[in-house]
Amino acid sequence: MSLDALRGFDMLFIMGFASLVVALCALWPCGVTDAIARSMSHVAWDGLRHHDTIFPLFLFLAGVSFPFSLAKQHEAGRTRGQIYLKIVRRGVLLVLFGLIYNGLFSLDFSGLRCASVLGRIGIAWMLAALLYVNFGVRTRAVISVVILVGYALLSKYVGAPDMPGADPLSREGCLVGYVDRCLLPGRLLYDGGRFDPEGLLSALPAVVTALLGMFTGELIRLPETRMSGSRKTLWMVAGAAVLAVAAIAGKGFVPVNKMLWSSTFVCAVGAYSLAMMALFYYVIDVRGHKGWTLFFRVVGMNSITIYMAQRIVNFGGISDFFLGGVAGLCPEKIAAVVVSAGYVAVCWLFLYFLYRKQVFLKI
């Protein structure tokens, strides 16, 4: 239950809640509210804000769920080949959903952005799942360290060959952009088609983000006879502390950077993800305080649905239909709160309807 609740908490911020927080902060401007409002947007390049944690936390949670899914497949008697097929199928479907989100059905293939958030999740999760199926904990831990160290060295010392003299850690001179310019068809997102934050090379460290989730899922799955819920929580907190120290120690070498999915970014958001998982797991599954979770679980159990639906369904128009008149009577700042709250409410009620009907989109 903690997994669904935390996934819902995470998705809420891209379901309009971030805009609502910004609108509420504008009502009481001061240093604290200004800082909170800024945290609801991405940093331009180096650094970390709360909004930068949403995507990697979702990928981390996809990793947490896999050990449970794999155990069910083994119990159902699935062969190794069937398990491989399901892993690859899920990865490919997420890439396809990402293309649809980016406008595949417009049939403008030259202007289509092939990289996407869902594509990154699909590729990184799929590779991590294949590693999970084939290797033990220690081997996967070594692979994770090798990927992070190797990617850090590559990011620091190897720049784009077509931008000689540029800083390898800049958007203009990074190898990440060069690989995408050479290999990715269609449109890249930034700098007139020269860089994309969800490209090919930066998917490699994202595999470690998914693996961190799988390590966590393995820990949570341990029977209570081997390790109590409280001890599991402590191990998660300890893991978060180690990753935080690694991020702080390494940021002088390679900055924390979401667009590059830098090795220090993996450690920083891994620390955040583990800490949040520990908090939700302890409160909900260990201490048994579950009554308050429905609001978040409604979102978390249909997370892909609401992500895709916001691209297809005009939830803003529905909100305006019911609340546009009220918003028009309010001062501008209060109207922004009404509009943002209405959008969140319409999205949530849509998901609640699906929840009550037991309709869930699963890939």
Side-chain angles (χ1 to χ4, degrees):
M1 190 173 287
S2 59
L3 178 61
D4 286 329
L6 181 53
R7 187 185 289 117
F9 170 82
D10 189 47
M11 287 298 298
L12 194 65
F13 287 93
I14 57 173
M15 201 181 82
F17 187 68
S19 297
L20 177 58
V21 170
V22 171
L24 287 169
C25 288
L27 296 177
W28 300 282
C30 67
V32 173
T33 55
D34 288 348
I36 293 172
R38 280 196 303 274
S39 73
M40 295 295 109
S41 62
H42 295 294
V43 295
W45 189 243
D46 293 337
L48 186 69
R49 294 177 184 163
H50 177 268
H51 219 58
D52 299 310
T53 68
I54 296 170
F55 180 8
L57 175 56
F58 189 89
L59 177 55
F60 173 89
L61 294 174
V64 174
S65 66
F66 184 64
F68 296 90
S69 170
L70 184 63
K72 289 180 181 178
Q73 292 183 69
H74 284 149
E75 289 169 7
R78 293 280 182 90
T79 65
R80 200 174 189 84
Q82 289 173 322
I83 291 171
Y84 284 152
L85 183 62
K86 186 170 183 179
I87 290 170
V88 173
R89 173 181 169 274
R90 186 174 191 235
V92 170
L93 278 174
L94 284 168
V95 171
L96 176 61
F97 273 42
L99 291 171
I100 292 171
Y101 185 93
N102 285 350
L104 176 64
F105 293 139
S106 68
L107 304 182
D108 176 18
F109 299 114
S110 62
L112 177 66
R113 181 182 173 227
C114 293
S116 67
V117 168
L118 290 179
R120 166 63 54 85
I121 293 170
I123 292 169
W125 177 88
M126 178 179 67
L127 294 175
L130 291 172
L131 289 172
Y132 182 91
V133 170
N134 286 283
F135 299 105
V137 174
R138 291 183 181 179
T139 304
R140 279 182 276 122
V142 170
I143 291 171
S144 298
V145 171
V146 168
I147 289 174
L148 292 182
V149 172
Y151 185 70
L153 293 171
L154 200 65
S155 303
K156 179 76 171 180
Y157 295 117
V158 183
D162 60 350
M163 293 292 291
D167 181 1
L169 293 171
S170 69
R171 197 154 76 186
E172 298 77 21
C174 65
L175 187 64
V176 167
Y178 176 74
V179 169
D180 292 337
R181 290 194 294 275
C182 292
L183 300 178
L184 265 185
R187 177 176 64 90
L188 302 184
L189 190 59
Y190 291 112
D191 298 340
R194 295 189 59 80
F195 179 83
D196 201 293
E198 278 84 51
L200 297 173
L201 184 59
S202 55
L204 184 61
V207 172
V208 180
T209 301
L211 282 171
L212 288 173
M214 292 175 190
F215 289 131
T216 306
E218 282 180 285
L219 176 67
I220 294 172
R221 275 200 75 245
L222 290 176
E224 289 291 309
T225 52
R226 286 188 58 188
M227 186 180 294
S228 68
S230 297
R231 283 195 64 196
K232 293 174 187 176
T233 304
L234 288 175
W235 274 107
M236 281 187 264
V237 171
V242 169
L243 287 170
V245 169
I248 293 168
K251 70 177 183 176
F253 183 74
V254 174
V256 174
N257 186 300
K258 176 183 178 292
M259 288 197 178
L260 292 175
W261 213 281
S262 66
S263 299
T264 48
F265 175 77
V266 172
C267 294
V269 296
Y272 170 80
S273 300
L274 262 172
M276 291 298 291
M277 189 71 237
L279 175 63
F280 273 64
Y281 174 72
Y282 183 74
V283 171
I284 298 169
D285 292 325
V286 177
R287 302 299 297 174
H289 301 300
K290 301 178 180 180
W292 60 277
T293 64
L294 176 66
F295 179 80
F296 296 112
R297 285 189 290 114
V298 164
V299 181
M301 294 175 75
N302 253 322
S303 52
I304 299 293
T305 303
I306 194 56
Y307 185 81
M308 293 297 295
Q310 287 183 100
R311 186 74 166 113
I312 300 166
V313 180
N314 186 10
F315 291 113
I318 298 170
S319 175
D320 288 342
F321 179 83
F322 289 103
L323 297 174
V326 173
L329 298 175
C330 298
E332 183 179 350
K333 289 184 177 181
I334 295 178
V337 173
V338 172
V339 169
S340 298
Y343 183 89
V344 174
V346 169
C347 290
W348 190 87
L349 289 170
F350 166 72
L351 292 178
Y352 184 65
F353 172 78
L354 296 180
Y355 176 83
R356 289 294 300 270
K357 297 296 183 180
Q358 293 293 290
V359 175
F360 304 105
L361 174 62
K362 295 186 181 295
I363 299 176

